[in-house]
Amino acid sequence: MKNIKTITLLLLFLSIASYSQPGKFKEKLQQKKEQVKSMKIAYITSELDLTPDEAAKFWPLYNDFEEKQREIRQERIKNYMDRSQSSDKLTEKEATTLINQMETAEEELHQLRKKFITNLKGVLPATKILKLKKAEDEFSKKLLQQYRDKRK
């Protein structure tokens, strides 16, 4: 789970940074995001060994879950970035508000995951739901390792 957060934050920071860069950087970043998404789809599909019927029901749920998760994280980062730039000048009340927003975002993510799993129970057997979590974690580890290897 920590690796997923790390990769998500990395991608979000890169996307935020891309707003100030010329169009080519944005295009490359978008291509990289699409490439990672394609790799993740292929990896999860392979690891879960989804039947065509399962895949037809699973992917819309998963894509919706991922999109909502991205929105919550993006909003959390935006709030943090807006306030953290002047973190030395935050009042106690502002800091408390920021912490409350962070806790609320974490709770939203938790509730979203619970709802997603509940929805999956009607689509996939429990063993494949567990495999999904493992596949997501393994994919994140592999992606992070590739990133580290590339930087060497």
Side-chain angles (χ1 to χ4, degrees):
M1 189 64 150
K2 188 175 183 180
N3 288 333
I4 292 172
K5 287 180 182 179
T6 303
I7 290 169
T8 302
L9 285 175
L10 177 65
L11 289 174
L12 287 173
F13 282 128
L14 287 174
S15 65
I16 289 169
S18 72
Y19 285 110
S20 63
Q21 300 295 321
K24 286 191 177 192
F25 182 77
K26 284 184 181 181
E27 288 175 27
K28 283 187 175 184
L29 182 62
Q30 189 60 36
Q31 288 173 347
K32 286 288 184 188
K33 285 181 182 180
E34 291 300 320
Q35 183 182 18
V36 169
K37 186 176 180 176
S38 295
M39 289 169 40
K40 186 174 184 179
I41 289 169
Y43 188 81
I44 289 173
T45 300
S46 171
E47 291 297 308
L48 296 185
D49 193 27
L50 297 173
T51 67
D53 185 48
E54 288 173 337
K57 293 175 184 174
F58 169 77
W59 286 111
L61 289 174
Y62 189 81
N63 291 335
D64 185 51
F65 167 71
E66 286 278 296
E67 180 61 25
K68 287 177 183 173
Q69 198 175 38
R70 186 193 62 75
E71 289 171 5
I72 293 168
R73 286 189 173 130
Q74 198 168 28
E75 184 63 28
R76 181 177 63 183
I77 288 172
K78 180 184 176 298
N79 287 338
Y80 179 75
M81 296 294 275
D82 290 347
R83 300 260 174 97
S84 69
Q85 292 174 356
S86 60
S87 63
D88 294 338
K89 299 175 186 174
L90 285 177
T91 65
E92 190 64 26
K93 184 178 180 180
E94 290 170 329
T96 300
T97 300
L98 185 57
I99 288 170
N100 290 338
Q101 288 174 345
M102 291 167 54
E103 289 174 336
T104 299
E106 285 298 321
E107 181 61 29
E108 286 178 33
L109 287 169
H110 177 70
Q111 292 302 321
L112 181 65
R113 167 107 14 220
K114 283 178 69 173
K115 182 180 176 187
F116 174 61
I117 290 171
T118 299
N119 291 339
L120 281 182
K121 288 178 181 177
V123 174
L124 297 177
T127 54
K128 287 189 179 184
I129 294 172
L130 290 175
K131 283 182 183 180
L132 171 63
K133 178 65 177 135
K134 183 179 177 187
E136 287 176 321
D137 291 347
E138 288 175 356
F139 179 80
S140 295
K141 285 178 188 175
K142 288 181 181 191
L143 190 63
L144 192 57
Q145 188 60 47
Q146 284 179 358
Y147 176 75
R148 286 179 182 153
D149 291 347
K150 217 175 199 181
R151 293 191 67 195
K152 288 181 183 180

